[in-house]
C-alpha cells in the first residue's frame, strides 16, 4: 500500500513539473500585453493615459500619427508590458520587439528583426 502511494506521489510531481515546463515554453511565443495609450498624455506620476483600442493602428502597421476623436486629437500608440493602474500605464515600452525580448523562462532573447 505504501509503495502505491509513493508511486502516485512521484508521478504527480513529474506530471506537475511537465505542466510548468510546457507553460513556460509556450508563453515565450505569445503576444506581449499591450494597451492603447495617448503619447501626449504623459504624466510623471501616472505614466500614459489609456485610451480606447480603436485609436491605435494594428500592431503590424506603421504609426502614422494621431486620430481625431471628438474635439481633441489623440496621438495613440500601442504600449507594451506596462504596469497598469486604473486608466494609466507606466514602465512599458512602445517597441513590440523590445517587449518580446524581455520574454520569460525558456525564451532565447533574440527578437524578430521585422521592419
Amino acid at each position: 500500500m505504501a509503495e502505491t502511494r509513493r508511486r502516485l506521489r512521484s508521478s504527480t510531481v513529474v506530471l506537475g513539473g511537465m505542466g510548468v515546463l510546457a507553460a513556460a515554453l509556450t508563453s515565450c511565443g505569445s503576444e506581449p500585453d499591450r494597451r492603447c495609450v495617448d503619447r501626449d498624455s504623459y504624466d510623471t506620476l501616472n505614466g500614459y493615459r489609456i485610451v480606447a483600442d480603436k485609436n491605435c493602428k494594428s500592431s503590424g502597421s506603421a504609426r502614422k500619427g494621431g486620430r481625431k476623436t471628438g474635439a481633441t486629437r489623440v496621438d495613440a500608440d500601442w504600449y507594451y508590458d506596462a504596469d497598469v493602474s486604473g486608466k494609466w500605464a507606466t514602465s512599458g515600452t512602445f517597441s513590440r520587439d523590445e517587449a518580446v525580448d524581455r520574454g520569460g523562462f525558456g525564451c532565447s532573447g533574440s527578437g524578430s528583426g521585422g521592419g
Side-chain angles (χ1 to χ4, degrees):
M1 188 71 144
E3 183 180 323
T4 305
R5 249 185 269 146
R6 190 174 334 144
R7 194 174 336 132
L8 178 63
R9 265 186 267 147
S10 295
S11 62
T12 302
V13 169
V14 169
L15 289 174
M18 298 272 288
V20 169
L21 180 61
L25 292 175
T26 57
S27 69
C28 183
S30 63
E31 284 291 313
D33 181 48
R34 68 183 185 181
R35 300 284 191 258
C36 185
V37 300
D38 181 1
R39 283 178 165 261
D40 293 335
S41 68
Y42 185 75
D43 178 83
T44 54
L45 294 177
N46 297 315
Y48 293 96
R49 186 173 50 89
I50 298 173
V51 295
D53 287 354
K54 67 182 179 182
N55 293 306
C56 286
K57 305 289 182 202
S58 66
S59 62
S61 65
R63 196 168 80 80
K64 302 234 194 268
R67 178 180 179 139
K68 191 171 184 178
T69 58
T72 60
R73 185 165 198 87
V74 177
D75 186 15
D77 201 5
W78 292 115
Y79 194 55
Y80 297 94
D81 285 345
D83 295 330
V84 176
S85 177
K87 293 286 186 178
W88 296 90
T90 189
S91 302
T93 178
F94 286 105
S95 168
R96 183 188 172 282
D97 290 341
E98 188 177 314
V100 171
D101 281 349
R102 291 180 185 182
F105 179 78
C107 295
S108 65
S110 61
S112 64

